[in-house]
Amino acid sequence: MGRGPGHNHEDHRKNTMVWLPSFLHGGTSSLVSTLTTFPIYKIVFRQQLHSTVVSQAIGQLRKEGFLKLYRGVVPPLLMKTLNGTLLFGIHDTFLHCLSSITNPCGVIHLPALLAVAGLGTGMVEALVFTPFERVQNVLQNGGNDRSLPTLRSVLARLGAERLGLGYYRAFIPILARNTLGSCIYFGLKDPVSAALREKGLPPMASSFLSGMIISSMAINLPLYPLSVLVVNMQAGVVGEAAGVRGSWKALWEGQLKRSVPLLYRGGSLVILRSCISWGITTAIYDRRSAH
């Protein structure tokens, strides 16, 4: 994985020990990028939840103080580090199975196989990481500070609910977002990187730019409304969930007042954060897999 569509898919049948360094570097890069970009994410979260402008969100964080700036960082730190560690390994596993079972003669183009394997990867992501995202969103909602002041209290409260209301609230929109996002990313990453290399860019730079372009323009912009919906469904802990349709209707007609600009408020910061994190992750993975 990561050498480009011109290579035979036999290159993907590597020994597990060869994959371990890419797991390590993926996890490390994700950990560093999460710590670096978490303040940006928190600003975006406040915008998504309260429909405030950037200056107001920054003002809220300043008022709360530096000690609370990284409140809620543990779940995304664990989630992103695990995500970076497992993402490419899971994808390569699915790709190996698909190549062995359905495409032994190379009839199906590799980019198509990469995209299909991305769908499976997104499903696994949703199953594994939805509870982390749920805890993260509850912790970052300032309205929960008094009733749920600590991570332990949040875990206890969510654990007392049934899965659909507790840890797995908003699972359906997360599943849709992750499967589509992984499919697009893995389907386009190598072709875009190869096209940039043909323009004379070094391999590291082409991988970094391909990760930036795909994650920001091809994934985050079209799928951003799903992220807004997830935040608003998961941030609260009181009452029954309204369901995907009911939650979207309440969000779109109530808080957003049917306004697309309000829906995409904070989108520019999401793109900036995604560019940094996925550019680093893609460049490191492609460099490691090339050896």
Side-chain angles (χ1 to χ4, degrees), residues 41 45 75-76 79-80 125-126 128-140 158 167 169-170 174 177-178 226-227 230-231 234-235:
Y41 176 84
F45 176 86
M79 181 174 66
K80 295 298 183 182
E125 278 188 288
V128 174
F129 297 117
T130 293
F132 288 95
E133 192 165 353
R134 171 68 159 139
V135 174
Q136 172 186 341
N137 285 331
V138 172
L139 282 170
Q140 292 186 71
L158 295 180
Y167 288 112
R169 180 181 284 190
I174 289 175
R177 182 195 64 193
N178 288 9
L226 284 175
S227 295
V230 168
V231 165
Q234 289 194 331

Side-chain angles (χ1 to χ4, degrees), residues 190-200:
D190 286 351
V192 171
S193 181
L196 291 172
R197 287 197 300 271
E198 290 177 359
K199 298 294 183 180

Side-chain angles (χ1 to χ4, degrees), residues 57-256:
I58 293 176
Q60 290 177 1
L61 296 178
R62 283 180 176 175
K63 186 177 180 180
E64 293 173 4
F66 179 78
L67 293 179
K68 282 194 175 182
L69 179 61
Y70 276 85
R71 172 182 160 87
V73 73
V74 174
L77 192 63
L78 291 174
M79 181 174 66
K80 295 298 183 182
T81 302
L82 286 171
N83 188 288
T85 303
L86 298 176
L87 179 67
F88 293 104
I90 293 172
H91 181 265
D92 280 356
T93 300
F94 283 135
L95 182 63
H96 174 80
C97 295
L98 288 171
S99 298
S100 301
I101 297 172
T102 66
N103 201 36
C105 299
V107 177
I108 303 176
H109 292 300
L110 182 57
L113 284 176
L114 292 168
V116 174
L119 287 174
T121 304
M123 293 179 186
V124 175
E125 278 188 288
L127 286 170
V128 174
F129 297 117
T130 293
F132 288 95
E133 192 165 353
R134 171 68 159 139
V135 174
Q136 172 186 341
N137 285 331
V138 172
L139 282 170
Q140 292 186 71
N141 182 3
N144 297 325
D145 285 356
R146 291 186 177 180
S147 59
L148 300 169
T150 64
L151 174 60
R152 180 178 295 181
S153 64
V154 173
L155 295 176
R157 178 61 181 271
L158 295 180
E161 303 281 354
R162 66 177 189 269
L163 287 179
L165 291 178
Y167 288 112
Y168 279 89
R169 180 181 284 190
F171 175 72
I172 296 301
I174 289 175
L175 180 65
R177 182 195 64 193
N178 288 9
T179 52
L180 290 173
S182 293
C183 178
I184 294 169
Y185 174 77
F186 285 109
L188 295 181
K189 179 177 76 70
D190 286 351
V192 171
S193 181
L196 291 172
R197 287 197 300 271
E198 290 177 359
K199 298 294 183 180
L201 288 177
M204 193 77 168
S206 64
S207 295
F208 182 79
L209 287 176
S210 70
M212 290 178 61
I213 294 169
I214 295 167
S215 64
S216 60
M217 303 305 296
I219 297 176
N220 278 288
L221 278 180
L223 299 183
Y224 186 74
L226 284 175
S227 295
V228 177
L229 176 62
V230 168
V231 165
N232 281 270
M233 289 183 69
Q234 289 194 331
V237 292
V238 179
E240 291 283 329
V244 177
R245 287 187 178 182
S247 297
W248 173 254
K249 183 178 180 180
L251 175 65
W252 178 245
E253 296 180 355
Q255 183 176 322
L256 298 177

Side-chain angles (χ1 to χ4, degrees), residues 39-40 42-48 50-62 224 264-270 272:
I40 298 175
K42 201 157 188 179
I43 294 171
V44 173
F45 176 86
R46 294 297 176 89
Q47 288 187 290
Q48 291 175 338
H50 303 299
S51 296
T52 60
V53 297
V54 174
S55 59
Q56 289 177 323
I58 293 176
Q60 290 177 1
L61 296 178
R62 283 180 176 175
Y224 186 74
Y264 275 87
R265 177 170 285 175
S268 59
L269 291 177
V270 170
L272 173 62

Side-chain angles (χ1 to χ4, degrees), residues 3 30 32 34 117 126 190 201 220 271 275 282:
R3 292 189 183 182
S30 296
V32 173
T34 301
D190 286 351
L201 288 177
N220 278 288
I271 293 174
C275 282
T282 304

